[in-house]
Amino acid sequence: MTDVVVPQRLRDGDRVAVVAPSGRVDATRLATGLEHLRSWGLQVDVMPSVLAGHERFKYLAAEDKARAEDLRAAWLDPQYAAVFCARGGYGVQRMLEYVDLDELVAVPKWFVGFSDITALHEPLNARGLVTLHGPMAAAVEQLNDTVGRERLRALLFEPETVTDLLAPHGARTVVGGVAEGVLRGGNLALLAASIGTPTYAAPAGVVVLEEVNEEAYQADRLLTQLLRAGWFEQVTGLVIGDFSEGGAGLDDTIRERLEPLGVPMVEGAAIGHEALNLAVPLGLPVRLDATAATLTPGGLAGS
């Protein structure tokens, strides 16, 4: 088993960097989000490619190599205690070939993002680094939510205060029981798209899944792909987060595909694309009590 590496907690006055590994970033939304980060006592620098734009493809924040170079520069610069993604969208997979993941893991620091950022969480977690699946720097609605914002701040600054990763929103029991293992997962579509690539890393432990804009049949296709690929073979428990804007029948589809695995499972966790997005530490050992609908982190207090 790969050793788990938990980055050092943040402190008042720390300097952090914002990068944009994925989609184009709205400057106004970013400016609003940065005020929240600065209210925590952080000094925030925005890397050059974040607002550069891609000349040909308007859905990308900048050229692939520029995004990758900014990620590397921010991560390896000792003045930065953490790296925040500006937003998701699409683009991480295009730049992964330009990222030396082992180089990054050798310099552990907090890395924050979700959705398309799953494509970076997956290989970083597989190498033992704990990362944060949570609100991003330009996610104004999520940072405006007091509960979600405080969860992110607590995990970064006071991790020992977070004793249940599903509270205070709560979740619903689907299959009762207790499961333990390293927490992995993220965005369903990105996890499925990773299969067969150099950064594919099947989980072993508890998995969290979230998604947005996928109809029931589309979620069925993605889950079926993971099932057929054996992705769930070493999964011990399941935390189903928000499947936002997915239409009718989506919850039933997820249950039909995943309940037969027979592992402890909860649904309705406030993790994903809704205004309340509870940050969770991917790559960290956790204990899922699906009967009580609690998810307890281990090993964060000493970070």
Side-chain angles (χ1 to χ4, degrees), residues 257-280:
R257 291 283 71 195
L258 298 182
E259 274 189 88
L261 294 173
V263 300
M265 175 178 170
V266 297
E267 65 181 6
I271 299 169
H273 285 76
E274 299 297 323
L276 174 57
N277 179 16
L278 295 176
V280 294

Side-chain angles (χ1 to χ4, degrees), residues 29-42 44 137 143 149:
R29 290 175 60 83
L30 178 62
T32 301
L34 296 185
E35 289 307 307
H36 285 297
L37 302 186
R38 292 182 176 121
S39 74
W40 298 344
L42 296 174
V44 187
L143 289 174
R149 184 175 71 247

Side-chain angles (χ1 to χ4, degrees), residues 3-274:
D3 291 338
V4 173
V5 179
V6 181
Q8 291 294 313
R9 70 180 66 203
L10 299 188
R11 291 171 171 79
D12 183 61
D14 276 348
R15 185 175 292 275
V16 302
V18 174
V19 298
S22 300
R24 181 174 289 254
V25 179
D26 182 277
T28 301
R29 290 175 60 83
L30 178 62
T32 301
L34 296 185
E35 289 307 307
H36 285 297
L37 302 186
R38 292 182 176 121
S39 74
W40 298 344
L42 296 174
Q43 302 179 64
V44 187
D45 291 340
V46 177
M47 300 303 287
S49 69
V50 172
L51 296 172
H54 190 291
E55 184 176 349
R56 185 177 179 188
F57 301 119
K58 304 306 180 185
Y59 53 82
L60 296 172
E63 298 288 337
D64 296 341
K65 286 186 177 180
R67 302 196 316 277
E69 288 168 1
D70 272 0
L71 174 65
R72 180 180 186 272
W75 199 301
L76 299 183
D77 192 328
Q79 73 173 315
Y80 297 126
V83 177
F84 286 80
C85 294
R87 62 160 299 205
Y90 170 73
V92 169
Q93 288 180 309
R94 290 177 54 112
M95 54 158 266
L96 279 174
E97 64 180 292
Y98 305 116
V99 178
D100 186 335
L101 295 156
D102 294 323
E103 180 183 48
L104 302 186
V105 171
V107 186
K109 58 183 60 176
W110 283 116
F111 177 66
V112 183
F114 81 106
S115 193
D116 192 59
I117 310 304
T118 295
L120 275 163
H121 285 305
E122 181 182 39
L124 292 170
N125 297 153
R127 288 162 171 78
L129 184 67
V130 177
T131 59
L132 286 185
H133 180 286
M136 294 174 279
V140 176
E141 293 82 4
Q142 294 187 343
L143 289 174
N144 282 345
D145 184 278
T146 304
V147 174
R149 184 175 71 247
E150 174 55 27
R151 161 62 65 81
L152 178 59
R153 191 204 65 81
L155 284 174
L156 290 167
F157 287 83
E158 302 168 340
E160 68 280 355
T161 65
V162 182
T163 57
D164 180 7
L165 295 167
L166 301 182
H169 175 76
R172 303 180 297 274
T173 303
V174 178
V175 179
V178 173
E180 295 184 344
V182 171
L183 185 64
R184 294 275 296 276
N187 181 265
L188 174 60
L190 270 296
L191 293 166
S194 173
I195 293 175
T197 71
T199 52
Y200 170 65
V206 180
V207 161
V208 58
L209 296 174
E210 65 85 23
E211 190 50 88
V212 64
N213 292 327
E214 300 285 1
E215 297 290 339
Y217 78 92
Q218 294 169 310
D220 188 326
R221 180 172 60 214
L222 294 168
L223 289 169
T224 300
Q225 180 182 6
L226 292 178
L227 287 163
R228 295 183 68 213
W231 192 86
F232 291 97
E233 286 180 359
Q234 297 185 68
V235 170
T236 59
L238 292 165
V239 175
I240 307 303
D242 289 314
F243 274 60
S244 304
E245 303 173 35
L250 189 51
D251 289 346
D252 189 50
T253 294
I254 295 169
R255 293 190 204 104
E256 189 275 337
R257 291 283 71 195
L258 298 182
E259 274 189 88
L261 294 173
V263 300
M265 175 178 170
V266 297
E267 65 181 6
I271 299 169
H273 285 76
E274 299 297 323

